[in-house]
Amino acid sequence: MKRILFLIAIFQLTISSAQDLYLQCGNIVDTETGKVLKEKTIVVSGNKIKSIQNGFTSGSGDDQVIDLKSKTVLPGFIDMHVHIEGESSPSRYLERFTKNPADVALQATVYAERTLMAGFTTVRDLGGSGVNIALRNAINKGIVKGPRIFTAGKTIASTGGHGDPTNGMREDLRGDPGPKEGVVNSPEDAKKAVRQRYKDGSDCIKITATGGVMSVAKNGQNPQFTIEEIKAITATAKDYGFLTAAHAHGDEGMRRAVLGGIKTIEHGTLMSEETMDLMVQHNTYLVPTISAGKAAAKMADIPGYLPPVVAKKAREIGPVSQVTFGKAFKKGVPIAFGTDAGVSPHGENGKEFGFMHEAGMPIMKTIQAATTTNAELLGMKNELGQLKAGFLADIVAVDEDPTKNVATLEKAIFVMKEGVVYKE
């Protein structure tokens, strides 16, 4: 009798798993053509899109229907620059000494879920303590809710550089971190650091090619790698199949990163027109992170929120990012979508669409930057970034047509990732 009941249960489970979801959509955004299509039904089977049908269809009696007839439906958004482990606060610099890895991990699960609920079903995490790798694995196993994560693990920097984890510490705590910790000072060090990231389980490589705003170091824009070191990183990264990214505010460090073979320049704040031309020539992408620039500038105006050395840099560099992005876009620099969430609040990633549009980028192109462009950069162009048969069922919906009101992209009212509904 028990065996019969077991077989019945298995049979019912099989029938249930075979059910399809029919998403009846008032509008869908075709990110491949840049058009908004009316009255379509997306059929989801398992974790993939099975088909897209004209009109509102509902399948058989066993299939589930989700009514999105008054909504606009898009592919899940992709943010190419987040720091999922933390978020800016007045206590953030102290927390380096008070939080255990378990504390960081538990807080990161909150940021991950907040990001997913905002409609960002995929992110590239560009540097943390290494907890980001464990978080990615936990999400992949279904232990916690969050976006699909491609993570750099720990950033690669030079001694005293923007990504040196011991910046700002007293002398007896600083030590002499090396490639394992993400600090390099030669091409040989650089190669070892990339291979260590591979060993750790990273998905991509992030370097800090110039000084930065949020680190406790004086200069926010000086070059911090030689071209030879950068070339050693990119050549080794190519051997291991890693996409490379370079944090860069200052122009000279940016120029070296482009010539050294880095694929995406993060921030690009003080980029010259000559470097813009170089990026066009080398097909190097700018990830503008306007959200972070605006957030840093606001924090600098709050007394005591940032250390004085950081606040000074934030006032100088933060307000420039949107202006530079507008010039780079007009120059024809390839653009990818990224926010640097963690500096700006997690879950507010969608504001970047509006900031990019304010600077002169058409709304549809901002959407394509966060979908088809980013999917291609991640090597997922046949799986992510489009609502198309055979693609993973990463699907979001918003209340209005975003091509008429970009602000609607700030609030996803429906979120599906790989066929699982997380927000409805």
Side-chain angles (χ1 to χ4, degrees), residues 16 114 116 125 135 156 324 341:
S16 174
R114 197 182 294 168
L116 179 62
D125 178 272
L135 178 65
I156 300 175
T324 302

Side-chain angles (χ1 to χ4, degrees), residues 210 221 246 248-255 257-258 264-280 284-288 317 320-321 323-335:
T210 76
Q221 53 187 283
H249 288 300
D251 188 61
E252 174 58 22
M254 216 175 302
R255 186 186 71 84
V258 175
T264 69
I265 300 296
E266 315 299 308
H267 319 304
T269 316
L270 303 175
M271 185 189 303
S272 67
E273 291 197 14
E274 290 76 16
T275 299
M276 292 177 191
D277 291 336
L278 199 63
M279 290 180 69
V280 173
T284 307
Y285 284 73
L286 171 65
V287 183
I317 294 176
V320 184
S321 58
V323 176
T324 302
F325 162 72
K327 293 178 181 178
F329 172 70
K330 291 182 179 70
K331 267 273 189 179
V333 174
I335 303 296

Side-chain angles (χ1 to χ4, degrees), residues 25 28 37-42 51-57:
C25 311
I28 70 168
L37 310 176
K38 295 187 177 299
E39 296 190 2
K40 300 285 184 179
T41 298
I42 302 173
S51 64
I52 297 181
Q53 302 177 357
N54 293 324
F56 301 137
T57 58

Side-chain angles (χ1 to χ4, degrees), residues 125 130-137 140 149-154 193-205 240 242:
D125 178 272
V131 163
N132 40 24
I133 295 173
L135 178 65
R136 175 203 63 197
N137 296 342
N140 290 345
I149 294 176
F150 293 83
T151 182
K154 296 179 181 179
V194 172
R195 291 167 180 153
Q196 181 67 49
R197 301 298 167 277
Y198 175 76
K199 181 178 180 178
D200 293 342
S202 298
D203 303 297
C204 54
I205 297 296
Y240 288 88
F242 285 137

Side-chain angles (χ1 to χ4, degrees), residues 4 10 20 30 80 126 179 221 223 236 239 246 294 302 306 317 351 382 416:
I4 292 172
I10 292 295
D20 291 339
D30 183 339
M80 289 291 276
L126 287 186
Q221 53 187 283
T236 309
D239 288 343
K294 289 182 176 291
I302 302 172
L306 297 173
I317 294 176
K351 289 185 177 181
N382 294 321
M416 171 186 284

